[in-house]
Structure formats: C-alpha cells, structure tokens
C-alpha cells in the first residue's frame, strides 16, 4: 500500500440544527385567555405553584421561581433574559405563574410538552 492511495480526512462533517426562536403562547397579562388558571393563581396560588412544579418534575417549592421560569424559557427557546424573568416574577408573581401554566397547558394540547 502506498501513501498516495490512503485518504486522510482532516475535517469532520458537522451538522447544525438551528432551533427556531419560540414565544410564549399567551402574554403575561392575558388572564382572560384561561379563566380557570387565572382563578387558581389568584385564589389558590400555592396549588397552582405545585401544579407547575409537578408539570416540570421539580420540587413544589420552586414552581414560581425565577429559575423555573428561566429553565422553561430556555427549554422552549423563548427569547428573554434572567433579568426579565426576575422582574416578571417579582413584580407580578401570580401573573408570571399563570402565564407559565397556560403555556404548559397549550404546549401539552399541541403535543410538544
């Protein structure tokens, strides 16, 4: 075997999967789009908190946390920042939690949760 007959691969093929940017299924203040979630968030916040945490296989204590919102947003490639997540959860925790639950419900209906 001569050196001329050997093929040397110097560059490996690369596959790039560009994930499309996502978006929230509803806005932060779209409470009327799912009144059941809204009422649960307003009158039984801890129940909704535990539902969201359970949906995401996390501890019930963290359903409405900045980390949970950031984790969810990152998983579905929803634009934003940790600072934005912090502001949403601090300024209106029930609204942020309701938005997260509505989004989970809608993605579950679409079969992408």
């Amino acid at each position: 075997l001569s050196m001329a007959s050997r093929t040397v691969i110097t560059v490996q093929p690369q596959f790039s999967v560009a994930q499309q940017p996502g978006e929230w299924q509803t806005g932060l203040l779209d409470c009327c789009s799912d009144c059941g979630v809204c009422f649960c968030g307003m009158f039984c916040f801890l129940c909704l908190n535990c539902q969201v945490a359970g949906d995401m296989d996390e501890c019930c204590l963290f359903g409405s946390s900045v980390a949970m919102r950031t984790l969810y947003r990152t998983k579905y490639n929803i634009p934003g920042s940790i600072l934005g997540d912090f502001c949403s959860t601090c300024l209106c925790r029930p609204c942020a939690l309701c938005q997260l639950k509505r989004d989970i419900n809608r993605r579950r209906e679409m079969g992408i949760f």
Side-chain angles (χ1 to χ4, degrees), residues 29-64:
L29 302 176
D30 286 342
C31 294
C32 295
S33 64
D34 189 331
C35 292
V37 170
C38 182
F39 287 135
C40 189
M42 288 300 172
F43 299 110
C44 193
F45 181 81
L46 292 177
C47 295
L48 188 61
N49 193 49
C50 288
Q51 285 178 21
V52 168
D55 288 340
M56 295 182 63
D57 294 325
E58 295 291 337
C59 175
C60 189
L61 300 174
F62 302 116
S64 63

Side-chain angles (χ1 to χ4, degrees), residues 61-75:
L61 300 174
F62 302 116
S64 63
S65 69
V66 175
M68 187 74 74
R69 187 174 176 86
T70 302
L71 174 70
Y72 186 85
R73 191 178 47 70
T74 304
K75 179 178 181 178

Side-chain angles (χ1 to χ4, degrees), residues 3 12 20 36 39 45 47-48 51 56 67 73-76 78 81-82 84 96 98 101-103 112:
M3 291 298 273
Q12 293 293 323
Q20 295 295 326
F39 287 135
F45 181 81
C47 295
L48 188 61
Q51 285 178 21
M56 295 182 63
R73 191 178 47 70
T74 304
K75 179 178 181 178
Y76 291 103
I78 298 169
S81 66
I82 294 174
C98 288
K101 181 59 175 169
R102 287 191 307 269
D103 206 88
I112 57 172

